[in-house]
Amino acid sequence: ERQTAPAREAEQEAALTAERQAPAAPALVTKWMTCIRGDSDGAFVHFAPPTTSDNSLLVLGLYPNAKADIKRVCATEHEMLDLLKFDNVDWVDFVPLSSRSTNAVIDQRIVESFADDEELVRDYCRRFAEHLSADANAKGYQSADA
């Protein structure tokens, strides 16, 4: 059964309130911050909390929307939810940095260079695998090895 918009927003607000800030290795944060133009205080590490819906779209993104700590749902997410008829969007972002103003402070050329950084790519894959594992565990799935 599909959630109503207010129910979906309430769930997302609760998830943001209880947002998990997975610890990130300082070396990774240092690398990520090199893509910020100007003062690095203008950005922060943000890991989007997973949703609990059985009807969620998982998106492997580049980086979170600006002001992700206070902005519930970005315009892109609204469009995906409306077009694709999912209840929620779960994000796993390659560069988990959000801006305190606009994402114009993120230098796309530097982000592009991150694709050649084995440590950053491995971390992204690890976070994606952890998200899939957590989702499977929450739904009671067992691996073939179990």
Side-chain angles (χ1 to χ4, degrees):
E1 183 176 11
R2 291 189 51 82
Q3 288 180 314
T4 62
R8 182 174 59 235
E9 288 177 12
E11 179 180 304
Q12 290 170 341
E13 185 165 350
L16 281 174
T17 301
E19 181 178 335
R20 67 176 168 84
Q21 289 293 328
L28 294 174
V29 174
T30 299
K31 285 183 181 185
W32 292 326
M33 286 295 185
T34 63
C35 74
I36 300 301
R37 293 183 179 111
D39 186 4
S40 64
D41 286 343
F44 57 95
V45 175
H46 175 81
F47 294 97
T51 61
T52 57
S53 170
D54 286 339
N55 189 30
S56 292
L57 173 65
L58 177 60
V59 177
L60 299 177
L62 191 53
Y63 48 81
N65 58 294
K67 303 176 188 174
D69 58 338
I70 58 173
K71 194 172 185 181
R72 292 184 189 102
V73 179
C74 66
T76 302
E77 188 169 330
H78 274 297
E79 292 296 320
M80 287 190 292
L81 291 171
D82 289 344
L83 178 68
L84 301 173
K85 308 301 181 208
F86 282 92
D87 294 332
N88 298 292
V89 177
D90 281 350
W91 296 89
V92 178
D93 293 301
F94 182 52
V95 180
L97 293 181
S98 180
S99 163
R100 298 191 192 286
S101 57
T102 69
N103 279 344
V105 301
I106 297 176
D107 187 326
Q108 297 294 318
R109 289 176 303 200
I110 294 175
V111 171
E112 180 182 1
S113 73
F114 290 168
D116 294 327
D117 186 310
E118 186 175 336
E119 182 180 31
L120 293 178
V121 172
R122 283 183 187 273
D123 176 70
Y124 186 44
C125 293
R126 177 194 57 80
R127 289 184 284 115
F128 174 50
E130 285 176 356
H131 185 92
L132 292 176
S133 177
D135 187 56
N137 290 339
K139 292 178 178 160
Y141 299 145
Q142 292 184 355
S143 72
D145 298 336

